[in-house]
Amino acid sequence: MEKIVIEGGRCLEGTVTVSGAKNAALPMLVSALLVEGWNTFHNVPDLKDIRTIKKLLIDLGAKVETSGSVVKIDAGGLNSHEAPYNLVRTMRASVLVLGPLLARLGRARVSLPGGCAIGARPVNLHLKGLEKLGASISLEHGYIEAQARSLKGAEIYFDIVTVTGSENLMMAAVLAEGVTTLRNAAREPEVVALAEALNLMGAEITGAGTPVITITGVKTLKPASFTIMPDRIETGTFMIAAGVTQGNIKIIGCEPSHLQAVIRKLQQAGITVEQEADGLRVVGTETISSVDIETLPYPGFPTDMQAQFMVLMCLADGLSVITETIFEKRFIHVSELQRMGADVTVTGTTAVVKGGRRLAGAPVMATDLRASASLVLAGLAAEGTTEISRVYHIDRGYESIEKKLAQLGARLWRVPA
Ligand code: UD1
């Protein structure tokens, strides 16, 4: 195991380039299961979760070749329908293979993802939707067993907006007979990116980016070439890095239109965010204003940015109320931030942050991906040395995080724990 050691208190300045989006790459790489022949994916980030999904695809019989940020996948030799426990356990998004396996092979056996640090995270809506398409589903010995002689288009209403649920159903429906309508579908840019990728393969999907997605089934798909969109959560994390260090960072290769809610809240807090020809310029301020946030499905404020925004609010003047509506246990970073001097009180789904405190470096533990990002930000802002253990969480979703921060002037190292 490794830890990251940060000597805080330095102002970050310079230019940083954002990597491809993990949450767009995962479903897009999985979509290669739907087609025979080589698909090519550009701008794929080198992350632990991406290595996990490639391993799963290889387990299922696909050929996977990687050269830098280019990944090629040919699932012509697909010969297994099982996603085993050891892979699904390390990454819940493995459940995304369910839809494509059913569509291609008529059956799938996928380990049921358990709870995770941020909450129960069931997949009941994925399963309910697949049943609507004609699959029979049972849960046996911790595995989802799904079978369907053929999938048929149907009307599917999601009781809760689910990102991977919408993606799974979209991938199951592209080869189904007839028309499928997904209502109350997720509008996240990653869902739109997957729909565009599937359409490049020959699918007929309309409405992605709205709550109603219509998929007209086609007989077969053809391989194609894709580019993964920039990571909006990595972008937002660097924006907050500028905010908490009174820095001046130019973020290139990002897509500001995907970050409107975050940009608005940062501007209300007094951070300067300006669009320049090739990216975003973010400049911190000495006096940060307190702002309330509530996490919501896109285009609302993303839950994946909540922990990072809390660090900024720890440094703000006054009280900030942070309400988490997506995941029930997503305040586990609070106790670690408190060890660094933060004044945060959690009641149910609400955290009240009393700003105006200096953070002080301390040994802390990363508990999940975005919580670890918040600890890195707190370490950058804090006086003294912060040691973050269990950093494997951050490697799931941030490519070359220490290298990118070091280029901006941060002093940090990765050392054996
Ligand atoms: C995706 C993202 C994750 C992000 C989350 C919310 C990927 C790989 N991960 O996760 O980074 O934090 O969206 O933006 O894209 N739910 C159910 N039943 C279901 C499915 C979901 O009750 O069958 C609930 C969840 O418990 C949660 C809410 O719906 O409360 C939203 O979860 P969902 O959008 O499904 O999250 P993921 O797709 O797992």
Side-chain angles (χ1 to χ4, degrees):
M1 277 218 249
E2 294 172 320
K3 59 184 174 183
I4 289 180
V5 179
I6 304 176
E7 264 178 29
R10 291 172 70 93
C11 163
L12 298 196
E13 280 177 341
T15 300
V16 66
T17 304
V18 166
S19 299
K22 169 179 87 74
N23 286 354
L26 290 172
M28 283 170 68
L29 296 180
V30 167
S31 73
L33 289 176
L34 290 162
V35 25
E36 293 186 14
W38 287 101
N39 291 282
T40 306
F41 301 88
H42 298 269
N43 199 33
V44 180
D46 181 18
L47 298 170
K48 193 156 164 266
D49 276 9
I50 299 294
R51 291 192 282 276
T52 304
I53 208 75
K54 287 195 283 193
K55 191 164 183 307
L56 176 54
L57 296 176
I58 292 167
D59 253 34
L60 295 170
K63 285 185 268 185
V64 177
E65 290 179 2
T66 303
S67 168
S69 64
V70 179
V71 176
K72 292 185 174 187
I73 303 173
D74 178 0
L78 185 65
N79 57 17
S80 163
H81 65 282
E82 178 166 328
Y85 175 65
N86 64 332
L87 291 179
V88 182
R89 185 174 55 96
T90 55
M91 189 186 66
R92 304 184 77 265
S94 308
V95 79
L96 281 167
V97 300
L98 194 53
L101 286 178
L102 261 181
R104 261 293 290 286
L105 301 176
R107 59 188 188 144
R109 184 168 193 268
V110 175
S111 173
L112 195 60
C116 67
I118 62 173
R121 296 185 83 171
V123 289
N124 58 317
L125 301 174
H126 300 230
L127 305 186
K128 212 172 120 191
L130 292 170
E131 280 178 335
K132 281 266 184 186
L133 294 181
S136 59
I137 291 179
S138 57
L139 300 179
E140 281 165 32
H141 305 292
Y143 276 77
I144 302 160
E145 305 269 0
Q147 291 206 27
R149 202 165 286 157
S150 65
L151 294 174
K152 290 209 171 51
E155 282 268 331
I156 294 166
Y157 176 82
F158 292 105
D159 294 331
I160 301 173
V161 176
T162 160
V163 176
T164 50
S166 304
E167 292 166 346
N168 226 339
L169 266 296
M170 213 154 63
M171 289 193 279
V174 278
L175 293 174
E177 198 187 313
V179 178
T180 298
T181 311
L182 306 180
R183 297 191 186 277
N184 199 25
R187 290 183 275 165
E188 268 67 2
E190 294 78 10
V191 175
V192 178
L194 175 65
E196 284 170 359
L198 292 168
N199 282 345
L200 275 177
M201 291 176 175
E204 286 182 26
I205 303 174
T206 57
T210 78
V212 183
I213 301 178
T214 306
I215 306 132
T216 306
V218 296
K219 288 251 174 322
T220 53
L221 298 172
K222 56 181 192 319
S225 176
F226 318 92
T227 299
I228 309 295
M229 61 180 235
D231 196 307
R232 64 193 167 101
I233 306 302
E234 188 196 11
T235 306
T237 303
F238 282 118
M239 291 166 86
I240 293 186
V244 297
T245 65
Q246 291 177 35
N248 183 337
I249 301 181
K250 170 82 171 277
I251 306 173
I252 54 175
C254 60
E255 181 46 70
S257 67
H258 293 165
L259 279 144
Q260 288 309 306
V262 175
I263 291 173
R264 207 162 315 125
K265 289 293 176 183
L266 286 172
Q267 287 172 334
Q268 283 171 18
I271 312 295
T272 304
V273 183
E274 278 169 0
Q275 198 156 343
E276 295 184 350
D278 53 347
L280 278 179
R281 161 107 24 220
V282 188
V283 185
T285 168
E286 212 170 302
T287 322
I288 301 165
S289 307
S290 291
V291 178
D292 297 341
I293 59 161
E294 181 178 27
T295 63
L296 288 168
Y298 191 85
F301 192 95
T303 175
D304 285 352
M305 284 300 303
Q306 179 257 107
Q308 301 91 313
F309 200 84
M310 184 181 283
V311 178
L312 184 71
M313 290 301 99
C314 288
L315 308 175
D317 273 349
L319 284 183
S320 159
V321 178
I322 297 183
T323 309
E324 171 60 56
T325 75
I326 309 290
F327 293 113
E328 70 268 30
K329 287 193 195 154
R330 212 169 199 180
F331 284 133
I332 31 179
H333 46 282
V334 168
S335 51
E336 300 303 300
L337 292 177
Q338 283 166 339
R339 304 194 67 248
M340 299 178 70
D343 185 344
V344 183
T345 310
V346 175
T347 314
T349 56
T350 301
V352 177
V353 184
K354 199 168 166 195
R357 319 254 309 193
R358 289 298 312 249
L359 295 177
V364 288
M365 194 190 290
T367 45
D368 74 58
L369 171 54
R370 305 306 169 186
S372 353
S374 76
L375 297 178
V376 170
L377 292 170
L380 293 171
E383 261 174 19
T385 305
T386 297
E387 290 188 5
I388 307 171
S389 54
R390 301 203 179 170
V391 292
Y392 55 85
H393 287 290
I394 206 159
D395 297 329
R396 289 188 45 214
Y398 288 89
E399 188 177 50
S400 312
I401 182 77
E402 313 98 273
K403 205 169 136 206
K404 288 187 184 186
L405 288 171
Q407 274 167 3
L408 294 170
R411 284 178 59 79
L412 76 174
W413 308 265
R414 188 178 287 244
V415 296

